[in-house]
Amino acid sequence: MIAKNIVRTLAVAACLFALSACDDKKAEEPQQASKSSAEQAEITKYNAYIEAANMSSSSFGEQLDQYKKYIAPAFTGEKPRDDLFFPGSDTTIPRVKDLLDKARAMEPEMKDLDASATRYSEALGQTEPVNRELYNYINAKTYKSDNGDKGRELQPKFISAMEKLVVAQADFLNAVDKKDRERIKAEYEKTPKDTAAYYRIGSIYYLKESMDAANGFINGEGLGDKKDAFKKSLDQFNEALTAYDAKMRESNKKGCSSLIFTANSYLSTGRDVIEHTDSGIYEQEAKRSQQFQMMQSTQENDVRSLMQNYNNVINAINIGTC
């Protein structure tokens, strides 16, 4: 079964939408200046939340799945305690918590994000001590010295804390994703057509649309009746990004080569997914007996490639490669 990858919806920094609050032009009237200041404060806080949301390269759910699959059996006697590798680090949790707490402390209040951020921060704080202790215990291979005694003691506490953290992370990321999409849609609808800004935000809009259509596939259920919608959104993303590149080349011959390169990887993987769906290879591999299944099926490989290439596009947009 393919685990859900919560971090698929890496968010786009708000200032990259060319919102009025990101404009460097000074407002002519005090009322407008006040409005711009309020908008800027909201965008600054929102972007701080985006940084926290995009901090972890994988979801805590994925880390927990890896732990349960490869490490937990070693402490329950189901497999030998050979060389174990902890599926995470001792720095990610405190770093995400620090970013969350700083964002949450900013003004103005953001009811749609503050509450879930608080729950997420609390879950991170509760998980951090046992995560750090188990991380050091496994990496120092102390289980070879104490016959796994400490591991058996820590494991139930770790799994319990991580299960709560997985729920809190999903809740926060879903809240961020909802606001992210609201901002993208609003900006796309108000941006003047046939401009670089219009095609840029359009490419982001259709990129998100394609990921929505691929949701069932990512969760191991296949594209189903979303196959045509997925294909259409990929084509629209490609068209919008190509138009954006053309607009940028009017003033800069280099255009957006780096961003296009990254986007092409996502598009090619998406079209492979459609081809593999049509060919029936996913279903064929799923029907094979356990002994004939590959360590990773074509579908699992395609899910990971699609996710990675999608996130690479978002990262390229956020750091401004064009």
Side-chain angles (χ1 to χ4, degrees):
M1 181 177 179
I2 301 171
K4 293 183 180 180
N5 189 332
I6 302 171
V7 190
R8 66 181 180 271
T9 51
L10 287 184
V12 181
C15 280
L16 297 178
F17 297 161
L19 295 177
S20 59
C22 298
D23 196 342
D24 291 330
K25 295 180 180 178
K26 294 183 178 180
E28 296 179 0
E29 300 178 6
Q31 183 178 2
Q32 182 63 39
S34 176
K35 179 182 178 182
S36 294
S37 177
E39 288 176 342
Q40 185 61 57
E42 180 179 353
I43 286 173
T44 299
K45 178 170 181 172
Y46 175 72
N47 284 344
Y49 273 139
I50 294 301
E51 185 179 2
N54 290 351
M55 175 69 211
S56 181
S57 60
S58 63
S59 74
F60 291 117
E62 288 180 302
Q63 292 179 23
L64 181 58
D65 286 344
Q66 292 294 305
Y67 182 91
K68 287 181 175 179
K69 183 176 181 180
Y70 297 110
I71 295 182
F75 293 125
T76 58
E78 299 173 68
K79 62 173 283 188
R81 282 188 303 277
D82 296 325
D83 291 339
L84 304 178
F85 298 94
F86 192 78
S89 75
D90 62 339
T91 59
T92 298
I93 288 177
R95 287 170 68 186
V96 174
K97 179 172 169 42
D98 182 59
L99 291 172
L100 271 179
D101 292 344
K102 287 179 179 177
R104 191 181 47 176
M106 294 178 181
E107 295 292 342
E109 181 182 9
M110 299 179 77
K111 293 182 179 180
D112 48 355
L113 294 180
D114 287 344
S116 59
T118 298
R119 292 190 293 271
Y120 188 21
S121 175
E122 290 172 349
L124 287 162
Q126 292 165 2
T127 306
E128 193 277 331
V130 67
N131 179 81
R132 173 170 30 87
E133 189 171 3
L134 191 56
Y135 170 85
N136 288 326
Y137 173 80
I138 289 175
N139 282 354
K141 298 185 179 179
T142 309
Y143 54 85
K144 292 189 175 183
S145 175
D146 70 354
N147 198 34
D149 290 343
K150 191 66 175 179
R152 283 187 288 273
E153 175 190 334
L154 292 175
Q155 183 159 281
K157 300 175 185 177
F158 173 75
I159 291 176
S160 176
M162 282 292 287
E163 286 175 342
K164 294 174 183 176
L165 178 57
V166 168
V167 173
Q169 184 189 37
D171 181 46
F172 173 70
L173 292 179
N174 286 336
V176 169
D177 183 56
K178 182 175 182 294
K179 195 170 188 68
D180 187 43
R181 290 169 187 275
E182 288 172 352
R183 285 181 177 273
I184 292 170
K185 187 174 186 295
E187 190 64 25
Y188 184 42
E189 290 175 349
K190 76 177 186 180
T191 302
K193 294 183 178 181
D194 197 31
T195 62
Y198 176 77
Y199 292 124
R200 187 178 192 281
I201 193 64
S203 68
I204 297 171
Y205 178 82
Y206 291 120
L207 175 65
K208 293 278 186 175
E209 289 280 294
S210 70
M211 190 51 64
D212 279 347
N215 188 58
F217 171 72
I218 291 167
N219 292 335
E221 301 160 6
L223 286 175
D225 61 2
K226 297 293 184 181
K227 187 183 73 171
D228 290 343
F230 182 54
K231 180 182 182 303
K232 181 179 179 181
S233 58
L234 286 177
D235 291 341
Q236 290 172 317
F237 168 60
N238 190 23
E239 290 168 6
L241 195 59
T242 300
Y244 174 55
D245 178 57
K247 284 291 183 182
M248 296 302 291
R249 287 180 184 276
E250 291 176 4
S251 58
N252 182 351
K253 292 183 179 180
K254 293 182 179 179
C256 302
S257 298
S258 179
L259 178 57
I260 294 292
F261 177 84
T262 304
N264 283 343
S265 296
Y266 174 71
L267 288 164
S268 64
T269 302
R271 285 157 179 161
D272 282 344
V273 168
I274 295 171
E275 182 179 65
H276 293 159
T277 297
D278 289 340
S279 71
I281 190 171
Y282 298 144
E283 292 183 358
Q284 293 168 20
E285 290 184 358
K287 291 177 181 177
R288 292 176 184 169
S289 63
Q290 189 68 36
Q291 66 182 104
F292 292 110
Q293 287 183 5
M294 296 178 289
M295 290 186 66
Q296 276 204 336
S297 67
T298 302
Q299 184 171 357
E300 288 173 323
N301 285 329
D302 284 354
V303 166
R304 292 187 181 279
S305 294
L306 188 71
M307 291 301 311
Q308 184 60 59
N309 289 323
Y310 169 83
N311 285 341
N312 287 345
V313 175
I314 296 294
N315 284 332
I317 291 169
N318 277 341
I319 64 177
T321 60
C322 182

